[in-house]
Amino acid sequence: MTDVPTQLRKGALELAVLALLAQHARYGVEIVEELGQRRGLEATSGTIYPLLTRLKSSGLVDTTWQESPAGPPRKYYTLSRAGVRRFDAQRDAWLQLSTSLITLLKEVQS
């Protein structure tokens, strides 16, 4: 049997990462930590870095290297113009879908 919460979270991770990057540029570990503070969105670096690589390959994020106050330079991710458009479209679709689903679920509450 499939772990339903895990499957739902995997489907939402791209949108969650795009949302974080819509706020401001972030580096990979920062994304992992931020998601870890949000119940249900916890993800390991082994999940997030391949996702970031796919987003970069798809032209949805840009990267820059910036000096770190402690340690080696960090790769920062920002939304590209295409990434902003994708985020806007996914956000709007998710809000519409989730609003409809919440309404339906409330109708069948026992």
Side-chain angles (χ1 to χ4, degrees):
M1 183 167 170
T2 304
D3 180 7
V4 174
T6 298
Q7 292 303 314
L8 289 172
R9 186 176 64 244
K10 283 182 181 179
L13 275 179
E14 178 178 316
L15 179 55
V17 169
L18 294 174
L20 290 175
L21 296 178
Q23 294 173 344
H24 59 82
R26 297 174 193 266
Y27 59 98
V29 171
E30 186 179 12
I31 293 169
V32 172
E33 290 173 351
E34 182 70 30
L35 292 174
Q37 295 174 13
R38 297 170 187 270
R39 187 171 171 213
L41 292 176
E42 303 91 346
T44 66
S45 58
T47 299
I48 296 303
Y49 281 104
L51 173 58
L52 290 168
T53 299
R54 285 193 306 277
L55 293 173
K56 170 83 171 139
S57 296
S58 299
L60 301 176
V61 299
D62 296 319
T63 59
T64 57
W65 287 95
Q66 297 180 20
E67 290 298 322
S68 168
R74 296 175 176 160
K75 184 188 282 189
Y76 277 79
Y77 298 85
T78 57
L79 290 183
S80 65
R81 288 179 194 250
V84 170
R85 288 190 300 274
R86 169 76 66 90
F87 169 66
D88 288 343
Q90 283 190 2
R91 179 194 57 212
D92 294 347
W94 184 270
L95 290 172
Q96 182 178 21
L97 174 67
S98 62
T99 299
S100 296
L101 186 56
I102 288 168
T103 300
L104 176 61
L105 293 174
K106 285 181 178 180
E107 291 171 5
V108 295
Q109 276 186 335
S110 51

